[in-house]
Amino acid sequence: MSAAMQMGTIHGVGLGPGAPDLLSVRADRLVRGTRQIAYFRKAGRPGQARRIAEGLLRDDAVEIAMEYPVTTEIPVSDPRYNECLSAFYAECTERLAQLASAGEDIVVLCEGDPFFYGSFMHLHSRLAGLAPVEVVPGITGMAGAWNATGMPITWGDDVLTVAMATLPEAELVRRIRDTDALVVMKIGRNLPKLRRAVAAAGREQAAWLVEYAAMPTQRVTPLAQATDVTPYFSILLIHGQGRRP
């Protein structure tokens, strides 16, 4: 058997927005059946992806916790931020590639979808040529959020914009004003700026905040009534009102 045939596969597995029963059949099979289970987490925290998979892992599972060296301690505009994370992702890539070269399959647990603003993307681009990689799609956090509101996010010809609250305020105003339906992620400490941008675009009464979508602590609040927001797992929504029969 050739060395290439002996290589293990690294699976980026989308777990959906939070509820374990929102995993796909393929994701469930891989999470339950694979011995090497990797996931990202903040130092000292269990990790949201790992929490979703609680109770699903096999008894002899080997857990590989990949702890971010920095989250919000350094501004993203600081060159040290990218330098620190780049070295971290390179180290994680080498660790997983070594396991795969030894014939081990690995599942990397991913919140939402692995290819939608997720950390797994940074491994995927580095693993090219080092090991076989497969991706299992997952329900995105934003889909969980708009379903939590009980209202469709788009109708007919509505244009949906997905933006980050980390954008400059003027850019947020332009994006909010120019779209039919809106999703804003990475809110946290950017809530005051985002609130001003939504108001400047004249859409404050149509905006909703969804926190911890599809999780036990899910909360849905009109933006006008929100006084604070969780640092993570919070999404702002504006629903489209387009053409319908």
Side-chain angles (χ1 to χ4, degrees), residues 7-58:
M7 288 282 288
T9 299
I10 299 170
H11 301 269
V13 178
L15 303 183
D21 58 355
L22 290 179
L23 272 70
S24 68
V25 174
R26 184 184 302 176
D28 184 84
R29 174 176 56 80
L30 283 167
V31 173
R32 292 180 187 274
T34 306
R35 194 170 73 95
Q36 301 283 349
I37 302 291
Y39 48 88
F40 292 98
R41 71 182 184 189
K42 187 175 181 178
R45 303 285 182 86
Q48 179 61 17
R50 178 60 180 83
R51 187 200 66 78
I52 295 172
E54 183 64 33
L56 302 181
L57 275 56
R58 48 193 272 185

Side-chain angles (χ1 to χ4, degrees), residues 85-131:
L85 282 181
S86 181
F88 165 67
Y89 287 126
E91 180 184 343
C92 293
T93 298
E94 182 179 0
R95 186 177 181 184
L96 298 185
Q98 287 178 351
L99 282 171
S101 67
E104 293 275 6
D105 289 335
I106 306 108
V107 161
V108 181
L109 305 176
C110 306
E111 302 158 31
D113 182 89
F115 277 176
F116 191 70
Y117 296 111
S119 296
F120 179 77
M121 297 184 296
H122 303 296
L123 299 184
H124 184 271
S125 61
R126 289 170 169 82
L127 284 165
L130 299 178

Side-chain angles (χ1 to χ4, degrees), residues 60-76:
D60 64 343
V62 177
E63 299 191 32
I64 305 166
M66 300 178 289
E67 296 191 342
Y68 296 112
V70 61
T71 50
T72 59
E73 296 85 356
I74 303 175
V76 294

Side-chain angles (χ1 to χ4, degrees), residues 175-211:
R175 298 282 183 175
I176 296 167
R177 182 181 289 137
D178 291 348
T179 194
D180 301 308
L182 177 73
V183 172
V184 181
M185 303 169 62
K186 298 185 180 179
I187 298 176
R189 63 183 62 182
N190 297 292
L191 180 61
K193 176 180 67 174
L194 179 59
R195 191 192 297 276
R196 291 193 303 270
V198 172
R203 305 190 72 177
E204 189 171 24
Q205 296 306 313
W208 294 80
L209 276 175
V210 180
E211 301 167 75

